[in-house]
Amino acid sequence: MKFKLILAFVDDVKTEAVMKAARECGATGATVITSARGEGINEKKTFFGLALEIHRDVLLFLVEEHCCRRILERIAEVAEFDEKPGTGIAIQLDVEDAIGVAHQIKKLTPFVEEDL
């Protein structure tokens, strides 16, 4: 079984919705890194010299490669990446090797066989 890593940078208020949507598409869980900061094309907004920043979470999903695109598209939909600029991004990376995922393989096997 081959895996991909999805890195999703989302507004912290959307983390739970993104997690739920990813699970519905085949993700078995994620690691959440809280309070990340990002910068985009536009300059940061300030109020009396103080930066107004939206807190972001970084979600790391290790997913089976056949489920990856579906999960990625669903994350983008739920997090509204294409509707509003500055809402976040998600990328996928190939995973050369992974250990500690035997329990996930048992759960994923029927799910993946359904797609094939």
Side-chain angles (χ1 to χ4, degrees), residues 98-109:
I99 57 173
V101 293
H103 61 285
Q104 289 184 19
I105 291 173
K106 289 178 187 174
K107 184 174 180 179
L108 287 171
T109 300

Side-chain angles (χ1 to χ4, degrees), residues 48-69:
F48 293 116
L50 299 172
L52 300 174
E53 295 179 349
I54 297 173
H55 289 281
R56 301 216 186 281
D57 289 339
V58 180
L59 310 177
L60 294 91
F61 297 94
L62 184 64
V63 301
E64 204 284 326
E65 69 178 340
H66 293 93
C67 305
C68 189
R69 186 65 194 181

Side-chain angles (χ1 to χ4, degrees), residues 10-17 34-35 54-57 87:
V10 301
D11 292 343
D12 64 347
V13 296
K14 298 202 179 212
T15 297
E16 292 304 318
T34 60
S35 300
I54 297 173
H55 289 281
R56 301 216 186 281
D57 289 339
T87 54

Side-chain angles (χ1 to χ4, degrees), residues 16-113:
E16 292 304 318
V18 167
M19 290 284 295
K20 183 177 184 232
R23 282 185 182 274
E24 289 169 356
C25 291
T28 55
T31 297
V32 179
I33 302 171
T34 60
S35 300
R37 184 175 68 93
E39 293 187 25
I41 294 173
N42 300 322
E43 289 186 33
K44 293 181 187 177
K45 295 179 182 175
T46 61
F47 181 73
F48 293 116
L50 299 172
L52 300 174
E53 295 179 349
I54 297 173
H55 289 281
R56 301 216 186 281
D57 289 339
V58 180
L59 310 177
L60 294 91
F61 297 94
L62 184 64
V63 301
E64 204 284 326
E65 69 178 340
H66 293 93
C67 305
C68 189
R69 186 65 194 181
R70 180 180 37 220
I71 295 168
L72 195 64
E73 289 174 356
R74 187 71 179 121
I75 288 170
E77 182 182 329
V78 170
E80 301 178 298
F81 291 161
D82 293 329
E83 282 76 37
K84 297 186 260 182
T87 54
I89 63 168
I91 61 172
Q92 71 177 5
L93 303 170
D94 290 327
V95 173
E96 186 174 324
D97 200 3
I99 57 173
V101 293
H103 61 285
Q104 289 184 19
I105 291 173
K106 289 178 187 174
K107 184 174 180 179
L108 287 171
T109 300
F111 196 85
V112 171
E113 287 174 349

